[in-house]
Amino acid sequence: MTTHSTVGASVIKRRKICPGSRREEAKHPNQSSKYASEGTMAHALGEHCINKQRKPQELVGEEFVYEDHGAMKAGVVTDEMADAVAVYVDWVNANFDPTTDTLLLEQKFHLKTVHPDLFGTSDFSEYSVQRP
């Protein structure tokens, strides 16, 4: 399995507009960028803040260590990143009830029964159990 799904949510809009884009993309190697690494760091920061019940702004200026495709990396948390991640963290905290909900963060999935190439990572998933 490759790192990115060719039929996943992040490309679905492009696939609907231009179905041939899948064939063209296959001709070019999947290269990372500093922006992709920054996004991976932001996701890890959000997960950390939710799990540790911290505000992202508390980490501004600090070095943050995270995993990026199996390699450990580090970056400094900026004001801009903290502010963006705070929107996500605040939304999760406002919409998650730990007494009735189960929270899953950055959970890998593979929906083979729908399509063999439909896989990815869910940023946030929750399910609720109704209690009597």
Side-chain angles (χ1 to χ4, degrees):
M1 183 166 43
T2 63
T3 305
H4 292 92
S5 172
T6 59
V7 296
S10 61
V11 295
I12 196 69
K13 184 176 180 181
R14 182 173 53 245
R15 296 286 181 262
K16 288 176 102 174
I17 295 169
C18 181
S21 63
R22 181 177 184 181
R23 186 175 49 250
E24 281 302 308
E25 288 169 5
K27 297 176 185 177
H28 304 282
N30 187 5
Q31 296 179 340
S32 191
S33 68
K34 68 177 186 172
Y35 306 107
S37 288
E38 186 177 90
T40 299
M41 180 178 159
H43 278 263
L45 179 63
E47 180 180 22
H48 170 81
C49 289
I50 292 165
N51 285 335
K52 302 293 184 184
Q53 297 182 1
R54 294 189 72 186
K55 298 270 185 204
Q57 291 83 355
E58 295 172 9
L59 301 169
V60 170
E62 292 186 20
E63 184 176 71
F64 183 75
V65 178
Y66 63 101
E67 185 177 343
D68 187 359
H69 296 96
M72 297 309 292
K73 293 190 176 180
V76 175
V77 178
T78 64
D79 284 316
E80 182 181 30
M81 180 182 287
D83 290 346
V85 170
V87 172
Y88 169 65
V89 170
D90 291 346
W91 185 90
V92 170
N93 289 333
N95 289 283
F96 173 67
D97 180 355
T99 62
T100 59
D101 301 339
T102 298
L103 175 66
L104 303 170
L105 299 171
E106 299 300 325
Q107 211 59 92
K108 299 219 179 290
F109 67 89
H110 192 167
L111 303 177
K112 296 175 198 171
T113 57
V114 176
H115 191 285
D117 292 333
L118 184 53
F119 60 88
T121 303
S122 171
D123 301 336
F124 164 85
S125 302
E126 75 173 301
Y127 61 93
S128 298
V129 177
Q130 297 296 331
R131 302 189 192 276

